[in-house]
Amino acid sequence: MNCRDFRKLVSKRMDGEATRPEEETLRLHLESCADCRAFSESLAAIAGLHRGLAELEPRAGLLETIPGPKRFAEHLSIWWKTGIAAAAAAVVLLGIMTGGYVAAGFSAGTSADQAEVSELDYLGAYPPGSLGEALMSPAEGEDDV
Amino acid sequence: MDDRALIRRIGKGDEHAFRILADRYRRPLYNFFLRSGASIEDSEDLLQQLFMKLVGGSYEVREDASFKTYIYRVAANLLIDHMRRSRRADFVDFDSLYGDGETGGARAPAPLPDEEAEASELRERYAAALETLPAPWRAVLELRVTAEMSYKEIAESTGLTVGAVESILFRARERLSGILGEFRAGGAGR
Ligand SMILES: [Zn+2]
């Protein structure tokens, strides 16, 4: 194992995902390697900075417009009764609710990101619509809307 | 009342249960969208879509998965769709997420003692460094740090492999550490 492998373990340990033997190997290495110790300290500092990021409050009343479960059911039945136009609106709403809109275009990312992404060495098959797919599929060949 | 109990009540049309759940999750989820790179407007929209899904009853929480894992999974899916449809230019400027007295700019911040000024600069630097990460990396980082999901849970919600999740988190931190290290080395003359 080289130092980069140990640094990967530092990150893994930080997430509580390192095995007992991995933790032990890492502990021994850190005792003798000042650079990896510095990296470990740096990640701890980063975690602190991340916790310190400001949290924004969503706009007041943002979710008030969403009908609760009961009103929601009532709305649906009213739409049902009041005819085609309203039914169409309900269809649109249901479409939104089920996330069933068509994803159009695929333009997430600059060429720098794509270089970074293509550098990743675990290319594999990811479910359609997954973050994995978004990560692994550069925008080439896709048109923006 | 725990989330699962609330969900059961919502299923039975309990309005109050829905509001409790919404209050519990709206802020962390909103910030999850923002930090993953969505604009303020889009984050609001995504948050609304998310709760519409919830109240529409199109959720099913597996017995072995927590509601928190579930709702972040739905959030991650919404975000992915959003990322597909958006141009990067629409993504939020991360500086605005670390507003250290920058609100409106009308009032100049009081001068800070050296140490505090440096800490404040470091925080700003960190927010800027985060912005250099590809949005999907930020999303993975948020799922880990904010949503406190395990590698396995992140893998399940994103479709990435566990190995990929581990690798993304390492690379993200490695890069952040590098950027902050440069900053510290460059600014150490004081
Ligand atoms: Zn080392």
Side-chain angles (χ1 to χ4, degrees):
Chain A
M1 278 175 84
N2 59 30
C3 279
R4 193 146 190 273
D5 293 326
F6 283 111
R7 288 173 198 191
K8 287 178 185 172
L9 277 186
V10 169
S11 173
K12 197 176 174 186
R13 181 182 65 176
M14 186 177 202
D15 293 324
E17 302 269 354
T19 63
R20 194 62 67 79
E22 282 174 336
E23 280 186 18
E24 187 53 22
T25 323
L26 177 60
R27 195 184 59 78
L28 288 173
H29 179 74
L30 291 181
E31 275 177 10
S32 63
C33 180
D35 285 351
C36 285
R37 269 206 307 279
F39 181 76
S40 177
E41 281 158 20
S42 170
L43 289 207
I46 282 171
L49 286 167
H50 203 92
R51 277 193 297 274
L53 284 171
E55 275 208 332
L56 298 191
E57 187 68 30
R59 183 162 54 78
L62 184 67
L63 297 177
E64 299 302 308
T65 54
I66 295 177
K70 210 174 233 162
R71 266 196 295 147
F72 185 82
E74 285 162 12
H75 280 215
L76 278 186
S77 78
I78 290 166
W79 282 327
W80 191 248
K81 284 173 196 156
T82 49
I84 294 164
V91 168
V92 169
L93 184 63
L94 281 168
I96 293 167
M97 276 155 29
T98 53
Y101 43 75
V102 179
F106 201 122
S107 58
T110 61
S111 57
D113 290 341
Q114 283 159 25
E116 190 71 54
V117 162
S118 60
E119 188 188 300
L120 300 176
D121 48 9
Y122 39 75
L123 282 157
Y126 294 98
S130 70
L131 187 60
E133 190 197 43
L135 252 175
M136 295 311 161
S137 314
E140 61 193 11
E142 297 271 352
D143 292 325
D144 291 336
V145 173
Chain B
M1 203 185 306
D2 71 12
D3 294 340
R4 211 173 273 275
L6 288 172
I7 283 291
R8 274 196 293 272
R9 284 175 180 234
I10 292 170
K12 290 172 186 158
D14 187 333
E15 199 80 21
H16 186 57
F18 172 69
R19 298 295 159 199
I20 294 176
L21 203 70
D23 274 350
R24 196 170 284 175
Y25 282 99
R26 65 193 183 98
R27 187 168 149 143
L29 287 165
Y30 178 63
N31 283 276
F32 165 73
F33 290 131
L34 283 174
R35 287 192 191 157
S36 301
S39 70
I40 286 179
E41 200 185 13
D42 289 339
S43 295
E44 289 179 351
D45 190 46
L46 287 165
L47 191 66
Q48 282 187 320
Q49 283 184 42
L50 183 60
F51 280 94
M52 288 288 271
K53 269 175 177 285
L54 202 64
V55 78
S58 59
Y59 50 82
E60 37 185 280
V61 186
R62 281 195 351 234
E63 281 305 315
D64 61 337
S66 74
F67 176 74
K68 187 175 178 181
T69 304
Y70 165 77
I71 199 167
Y72 274 99
R73 180 176 309 169
V74 179
N77 286 334
L78 285 170
L79 182 73
I80 291 153
D81 279 336
H82 169 73
M83 278 161 52
R84 285 223 182 79
R85 287 175 286 121
S86 307
R87 293 164 185 283
R88 198 178 159 77
D90 292 333
F91 280 13
V92 72
D93 174 9
F94 257 59
D95 288 348
S96 65
L97 283 185
Y98 212 94
D100 243 13
E102 280 184 85
T103 41
R107 187 164 48 103
L112 298 169
D114 258 14
E115 216 170 274
E116 214 176 304
E118 204 169 313
S120 157
E121 208 177 339
L122 189 61
R123 286 198 299 265
E124 272 173 37
R125 191 74 187 190
Y126 179 70
L130 264 182
E131 205 181 354
T132 70
L133 301 180
W137 290 24
R138 280 189 258 162
V140 169
L141 195 61
E142 282 306 306
L143 289 173
R144 171 66 207 109
V145 178
T146 307
E148 296 175 337
M149 285 163 83
S150 68
Y151 287 1
K152 187 165 169 281
E153 287 169 333
I154 297 171
E156 281 173 5
S157 74
T158 58
L160 291 162
T161 63
V162 168
V165 171
E166 184 183 327
S167 180
I168 285 173
L169 286 167
F170 168 66
R171 281 160 187 261
R173 287 166 175 153
E174 186 183 44
R175 195 197 277 187
L176 292 170
S177 169
I179 293 171
L180 292 178
E182 271 170 34
F183 166 67
R184 279 179 160 150
R190 185 190 318 227

